[in-house]
Amino acid sequence: MSTPDAVVVGAGPNGLAAAVTLARAGLSVRLYERESTIGGGARTEELTLPGFLHDVCSAIHPLGLSSGFFRRFELTKRMRFVVPEISYSQPLDTPSSGGRAAIAWHDLDRTVAGLGVDGPAWRRLLEPLVARADDVAQFAGTEIIGAPRHPLAALLLGLRVLEQGSIDWNTRFRGDAAPALLTGAFAHPVQPMPSLSSAAGGLVLAATAHARGWPVPVGGSRSIVQAMAEDLLAHGGEIVTDTEIGSIGELPPATAAIFDVTPRALSRIVGDRLPHGYRRALERFRYGNGVAKVDFALSAPVPWRDDRLIMAATVHVGGVRAEMQRAEADVAAGRHPESPYVLVSQPTPFDPSRAPAGKHVLWAYTHVPRGSSEDRTEAVIHQIERFAPGFRDTILASASRTAVDMEAHNPNYIGGDIAAGDVDMRQLVARPTASPTPWRTPAAGVYLTGASTAPGPGVHGLSGYYAARTALGDIFGITEMPYLGVERGA
């Protein structure tokens, strides 16, 4: 093999985004992946029964439409997304709810109308963010340190984060439905609530829900990965699978090397080429609590008490705000909640190709203490049945992964942490170090990407794009970024 200009280690969405960007700039690129298939957390596989296709980690992609990288890449011209009318929802069983769920429709006005007395408060909270949703989606670790590119969006988000991340988070609401609906989004980061980091992540997700929606990728998350891989190969890139890189010395002497790994793994792989102080900073990087995942093959749709939820991209199962707050506090304290918060997605109403005719797949995960080896299948079933009586009777098969299993499947998920690093405010600013360009390392030609770097977790490709952009400018003198969209005649 000839020596490439650049190598990328790790073929998750960020590694692929880095490789695509480098190849589009005219460099020869080789991408290495330890598994036999690429995608990292964006894989789709048969996990339960033949013909039932389950997303291995990520399933619904709020950033698939709003990420700056994916918009430059014109992802929607390369694959198909379905945007459900309901972005996310919160089933309730309080006396005042009458068994009806709180629903975040893609349409903000419809959401406001359904939230009754708290509808106007919902509008005041979210409408300014929805109007600037793409700018808000870019605001994360990439802009916290330096001057933000979109100062008004940053200010509007920051003021709302200060409110919803504090003990004042209930002051604008009068009922149970609106705060429960919002908390379902806030609980995506595995953090105690209220907290600034959970509010920041949740508000970005909530704004995206009304702006571009929470899309379902047809064919599963692997369709996103396939689109990037096809573009890389079309521009001369190479993909080498079944190859684990244990040391930088195992790589060809390329001019640039980008690693889609955790800070801990980078320290181990690059070793003494990194200054002692920087290695210590990498090794001090903290990892958060984990997830346990359960996939189901079903004979019928989930029998939600509120049957509108069949058409929701995501269902947050956990009851009212106070219940979810207690569940996340239990996880933070090292306990498995008796009444857990469960994220649920049933993609088959939007993408019937995921299961045999008339059958369905269901994706679910719940938060657990880091390193947990507890199978949470029964806890998940019990919590879903609370809002969908008879759910157990629809189950044909299930497949469970504990937090320990999650790490075994993907070494970036240390202790089952799918965010590849705690997402408290300190580590949103220092991800993994406090720097305007956290993708650049002190070792010449070595860069870091992935969920452990800014702008943090999610399938957005931005970290990979930023790492590649930094390398292009540092090493190759390329300051004008290449065109990434679909080429004429392609």
Side-chain angles (χ1 to χ4, degrees), residues 78-100:
R78 302 168 185 268
M79 56 162 292
R80 183 172 167 236
F81 284 104
V82 175
V83 180
E85 287 188 77
I86 299 174
S87 294
Y88 63 97
S89 55
Q90 189 79 31
L92 298 169
D93 54 4
T94 58
S96 60
S97 71
R100 300 278 281 178

Side-chain angles (χ1 to χ4, degrees), residues 48-49 52 296-300 359-360 392-398:
T48 55
L49 297 173
F52 289 81
F296 298 95
L298 305 180
S299 62
K359 305 297 191 294
H360 293 266
R392 188 184 298 272
D393 297 335
T394 69
I395 299 172
L396 299 173
S398 66

Side-chain angles (χ1 to χ4, degrees), residues 32-46:
Y32 292 91
E33 169 57 43
R34 70 187 288 271
E35 298 291 332
S36 58
T37 57
I38 61 173
R43 286 184 170 94
T44 306
E45 299 174 358
E46 291 182 340

Side-chain angles (χ1 to χ4, degrees), residues 25 465 469 472-473 477-483:
Y465 174 74
R469 183 178 69 181
L472 288 171
I478 299 173
T479 56
E480 184 176 344
M481 288 300 97
Y483 175 71

Side-chain angles (χ1 to χ4, degrees), residues 257-280:
I258 297 179
F259 292 87
D260 184 4
V261 300
T262 64
R264 185 181 298 178
L266 183 74
S267 177
R268 183 181 68 251
I269 294 168
V270 180
D272 291 341
R273 295 196 194 184
L274 297 169
H276 178 68
Y278 183 77
R279 288 189 70 184
R280 284 191 62 194

Side-chain angles (χ1 to χ4, degrees), residues 42-67:
R43 286 184 170 94
T44 306
E45 299 174 358
E46 291 182 340
L47 299 177
T48 55
L49 297 173
F52 289 81
L53 297 175
H54 304 270
D55 286 322
V56 170
C57 186
S58 60
I60 304 300
H61 295 275
L63 299 177
L65 303 181
S66 61
S67 153

Side-chain angles (χ1 to χ4, degrees), residues 244-334:
E244 183 166 9
I245 304 300
S247 165
I248 194 169
E250 298 170 11
L251 293 170
T255 308
I258 297 179
F259 292 87
D260 184 4
V261 300
T262 64
R264 185 181 298 178
L266 183 74
S267 177
R268 183 181 68 251
I269 294 168
V270 180
D272 291 341
R273 295 196 194 184
L274 297 169
H276 178 68
Y278 183 77
R279 288 189 70 184
R280 284 191 62 194
L282 295 180
E283 289 160 6
R284 284 198 302 266
F285 187 75
R286 292 175 291 102
Y287 299 89
N289 285 307
V291 305
K293 185 170 181 287
V294 189
D295 289 284
F296 298 95
L298 305 180
S299 62
V302 177
W304 299 110
R305 188 176 285 117
D306 186 337
D307 60 11
R308 296 176 299 171
L309 302 192
I310 293 172
M311 301 309 294
T314 298
V315 182
H316 299 133
V317 183
V320 297
R321 169 170 273 185
E323 290 181 82
M324 290 180 283
Q325 183 183 17
R326 284 194 299 271
E328 296 305 284
D330 280 344
V331 173

Side-chain angles (χ1 to χ4, degrees), residues 139-146 197 285-286 422-438 452-456:
F139 178 79
T142 52
E143 296 190 351
I144 290 174
I145 296 171
S197 56
F285 187 75
R286 292 175 291 102
D422 200 7
V423 287
D424 62 9
M425 285 305 294
R426 177 179 176 274
Q427 287 201 170
L428 282 179
V429 175
R431 196 164 188 91
T433 57
S435 166
T437 51
S452 301
T453 66

